[in-house]
């Protein structure tokens, strides 16, 4: 895209101007606006704007789908406006989660909250996961020795973000909840501190805090404990700021946080969230155990719809919880075929259409899904314009999910799903996952090219 600054200016203008924007964030493909009044946005003009793929109003946000250029457009908007300053006050949105001040549904608020916490470090997370996947692949083929120092160095690079996940979550959660982020990170570091993990590992030592029994859990790689801890921290800080003179707040509040929040996290929050985490993991396991075919079909078929409305973010904490509790995840492999099904449908349209605009959109969308694992351009730019293709693809993706679920495919690291990562996926999930994604790609391509897509239907 040649001129990001013009596109950025036009988008801001047609969402109602800078004065109509409360805050702005972005994910892999979308600009996510919080608007004061969505009726002031000129949706039809935005939809037809060069460089805009789709406009969505979901999750309590006004979402403008850009595609792979979204970060460049986002940067230009921040450069040319004062929206970056408004983003600093976005933490107030978290208070509305329980207060009901917003008209958005609880599901919309949770989706926004989850995406806001996990999205900022997802690039580093995916990169580390991919490296971990390839290490599994290389050691499986005996191309790399697990006892070598090379492996130790590379494994540390790949596993560090997973081990210290609470620290990353602490910073992002503090931004959303309005807590002091570096104090949140310090509390997370204390949770992962070597002496704390040693106490957890030593079952012979009775851990107490001023004679109060403490049931320690494993905090490295955990998700729920730090999220609730930061939420409690934010509430405590806001209460303290009302009663403590401002001149001594910077000294008193951190001390109180460390002295109260961290012990409460260990005594109450940690054990409670451990029960909840194991309950969630056990409940989902029970569903898969009852009928892996039904569970796999539902997830595989509905995954593109979840992406359309941004609801796929709601599964991320569950997946992360599985890593923490079980050491692996068995939910996400049922959705792998969806990426390849979307890529195949776009590729079929690209090869068959004679419409220059559709050929350009479908070709780039196919590459984006197949190589980059980014499916929104294909969903919004191609598939939602032809319901028959979308429905046929979802059905095939559902069957692909059945294959993965029945075979018991798992993922041990958060590896991106695309053509380049198939060796890593194979190393973690075995040949069944390759069969699953191959089935989805081949069948979706064939039915789209030969039976569903008619070039005259645009």
């Amino acid at each position: 895209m040649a001129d990001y600054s013009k596109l950025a200016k036009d988008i801001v203008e047609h969402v109602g101007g800078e004065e109509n924007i409360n805050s702005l964030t972005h994910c892999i493909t979308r600009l996510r606006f919080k608007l004061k009044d969505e009726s002031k946005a000129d949706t039809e003009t935005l939809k037809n704007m060069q460089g805009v793929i789709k406009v969505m109003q979901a999750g309590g946000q006004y979402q403008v789908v850009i595609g792979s250029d979204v970060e460049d457009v986002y940067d230009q908007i921040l450069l040319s406006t004062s929206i970056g300053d408004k983003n600093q006050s976005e933490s107030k949105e978290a208070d509305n989660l329980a207060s009901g001040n917003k008209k958005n549904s609880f599901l919309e608020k949770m989706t926004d909250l989850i995406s806001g916490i996990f999205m900022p470090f997802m690039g580093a997370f995916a990169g580390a996961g991919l490296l971990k996947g390839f290490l599994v692949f290389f050691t499986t083929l005996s191309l790399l020795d697990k006892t070598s120092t090379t492996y130790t160095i590379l494994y540390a690079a790949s596993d560090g973000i997973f081990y210290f996940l609470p620290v990353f979550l602490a910073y992002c959660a503090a931004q959303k909840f309005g807590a002091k982020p570096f104090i949140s990170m310090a509390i997370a570091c204390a949770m992962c501190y070597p002496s704390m993990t040693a106490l957890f590992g030593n079952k012979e030592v009775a851990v107490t805090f001023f004679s109060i029994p403490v049931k320690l859990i494993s905090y490295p790689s955990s998700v729920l404990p730090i999220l609730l801890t930061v939420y409690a921290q934010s509430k405590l800080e806001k209460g303290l700021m009302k009663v403590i003179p401002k001149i001594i707040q910077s000294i008193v509040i951190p001390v109180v946080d460390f002295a109260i929040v961290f012990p409460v996290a260990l005594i109450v929050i940690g054990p409670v969230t451990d029960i909840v985490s194991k309950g969630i993991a056990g409940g989902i396991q029970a569903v898969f155990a009852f009928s892996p075919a039904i569970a796999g079909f539902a997830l595989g078929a509905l995954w593109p719809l979840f992406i359309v409305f941004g609801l796929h973010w709601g599964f991320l904490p569950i997946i992360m919880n599985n890593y923490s509790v079980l050491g692996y995840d068995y939910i996400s492999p049922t959705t792998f075929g969806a990426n390849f099904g979307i890529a195949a449908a776009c590729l079929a349209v690209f090869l068959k259409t004679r419409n220059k605009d559709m050929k350009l959109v479908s070709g780039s969308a196919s590459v984006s899904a197949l190589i980059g694992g980014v499916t929104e351009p294909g969903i919004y730019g191609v598939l939602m314009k032809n319901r028959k293709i979308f429905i046929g693809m979802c059905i095939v993706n559902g069957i692909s999910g059945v294959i993965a679920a029945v075979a018991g495919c798992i993922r041990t690291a958060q590896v991106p799903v695309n053509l380049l990562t198939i060796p890593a996926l194979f190393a973690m999930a075995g040949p069944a996952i390759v069969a699953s994604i191959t089935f989805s790609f081949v069948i979706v391509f064939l039915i789209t090219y030969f039976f569903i897509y008619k070039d005259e239907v645009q």
Side-chain angles (χ1 to χ4, degrees):
M1 196 175 295
D3 191 353
Y4 297 115
S5 60
K6 183 180 185 307
L7 178 58
K9 180 181 177 182
D10 291 343
I11 290 174
V12 170
E13 178 184 346
H14 288 95
V15 297
E18 184 178 344
E19 63 278 3
N20 193 40
I21 301 172
N22 274 330
S23 64
L24 170 65
T25 57
H26 76 89
C27 59
I28 297 175
T29 58
R30 315 178 194 193
L31 295 171
R32 296 170 175 264
F33 290 94
K34 297 270 185 70
L35 301 182
K36 295 176 182 176
D37 184 357
E38 290 189 359
S39 66
K40 292 183 179 180
D42 188 350
T43 301
E44 288 305 312
T45 300
L46 283 166
K47 284 181 178 178
N48 296 311
M49 192 177 292
Q50 180 93 23
V52 174
I53 298 173
K54 185 78 174 178
V55 176
M56 299 286 297
Q57 290 167 273
Q61 300 172 333
Y62 192 87
Q63 304 175 12
V64 181
V65 185
I66 303 295
S68 57
D69 298 309
V70 65
E71 191 168 351
D72 297 296
V73 178
Y74 174 82
D75 290 341
Q76 284 298 321
I77 291 177
L78 295 192
L79 283 173
S80 58
T81 66
S82 60
I83 292 172
D85 298 329
K86 296 180 182 181
N87 287 344
Q88 299 303 315
S89 63
E90 193 188 19
S91 61
K92 295 178 182 177
E93 295 294 326
D95 292 334
N96 294 320
L97 191 62
S99 66
N101 290 337
K102 293 277 185 177
K103 294 181 180 179
N104 304 324
S105 70
F106 178 79
L107 181 62
E108 289 176 330
K109 293 173 184 176
M110 286 302 299
T111 300
D112 172 49
L113 185 64
I114 291 167
S115 64
I117 291 174
F118 283 90
M119 193 62 222
F121 63 90
M122 196 49 57
F125 203 60
L130 181 57
L131 178 58
K132 180 177 280 193
F134 277 115
L135 285 178
V136 173
F137 180 67
F138 292 147
T139 54
T140 301
L141 297 180
S142 298
L143 298 175
L144 187 62
D145 186 358
K146 279 189 175 183
T147 62
S148 68
T149 54
T150 300
Y151 176 85
T152 301
I153 292 170
L154 291 176
Y155 188 81
S158 69
D159 195 53
I161 190 172
F162 293 93
Y163 187 87
F164 294 106
L165 179 61
V167 180
F168 292 83
L169 291 172
Y171 179 82
C172 297
Q175 298 285 352
K176 293 295 289 186
F177 293 134
K180 295 184 181 299
F182 290 104
I183 296 177
S184 303
M185 294 170 69
I187 292 172
C189 288
M191 287 178 168
C192 301
Y193 197 66
S195 62
M196 295 301 301
T197 55
L199 276 178
F200 170 75
N202 189 349
K203 303 302 180 183
E204 297 180 359
V205 176
V207 182
T208 62
F209 180 77
F210 288 114
S211 300
I212 301 173
V214 177
K215 181 186 175 184
L216 284 179
I217 67 171
S218 179
Y219 288 101
S221 303
S222 64
V223 176
L224 288 181
I226 191 60
L227 294 183
L228 290 185
T229 298
V230 173
Y231 183 73
Q233 174 200 342
S234 70
K235 292 300 183 183
L236 176 63
E237 288 176 351
K238 288 168 186 174
L240 291 174
M241 290 172 73
K242 294 178 181 178
V243 298
I244 297 176
K246 194 164 186 177
I247 193 170
I248 59 172
Q249 283 182 3
S250 62
I251 298 174
V252 174
I253 290 179
V255 173
V256 175
D257 276 340
F258 292 133
I260 294 179
V261 175
F262 183 53
V264 168
L266 297 183
I267 297 167
V268 180
I269 296 175
V272 170
T273 55
D274 186 52
I275 295 171
V276 172
S277 296
K278 289 177 179 176
I280 292 172
I284 296 173
Q285 271 189 315
V287 173
F288 270 76
F290 173 74
S291 178
I294 293 176
F297 184 85
L299 283 169
L302 294 175
W303 197 250
L305 282 175
F306 293 150
I307 294 174
V308 167
F309 295 106
L311 299 178
H312 58 304
W313 284 107
F315 288 85
L316 189 54
I318 300 173
I319 292 169
M320 299 307 301
N321 183 64
N322 284 340
Y323 288 135
S324 176
V325 175
L326 304 173
Y328 60 87
D329 173 58
Y330 53 89
I331 296 175
S332 55
T334 63
T335 70
F336 289 173
N339 279 34
F340 289 88
I342 293 166
C346 293
L347 179 61
V349 172
F350 169 74
L351 294 176
K352 192 168 185 179
T353 186
R354 294 185 297 275
N355 182 287
K356 292 182 179 179
D357 291 336
M358 180 55 71
K359 187 173 283 291
L360 177 63
V361 171
S362 58
S364 62
S366 177
V367 172
S368 175
L370 196 59
I371 305 299
V374 179
T375 56
E376 281 91 341
I379 290 175
Y380 297 126
V382 180
L383 303 183
M384 289 186 69
K385 296 181 179 181
N386 191 311
R387 293 179 183 177
K388 290 182 179 180
I389 296 179
F390 193 90
I391 293 171
M393 176 201 67
C394 286
I395 294 172
V396 175
N397 289 344
I399 300 172
S400 171
V402 171
I403 296 171
V406 171
C409 293
I410 63 171
R411 177 162 67 171
T412 56
Q414 198 67 12
V415 177
V417 180
N418 56 55
L419 186 64
L420 301 178
T421 62
I422 288 179
L425 299 176
F426 171 81
M428 290 186 287
I433 200 64
V434 179
S436 172
I437 60 182
T438 301
F439 174 86
S440 188
F441 184 85
V442 172
I443 301 303
V444 170
F445 178 85
L446 292 177
I447 65 171
T448 301
Y449 189 90
F450 290 106
F451 301 105
I452 299 179
Y453 183 68
K454 307 296 182 184
D455 191 40
E456 67 270 18
V457 181
Q458 299 296 331

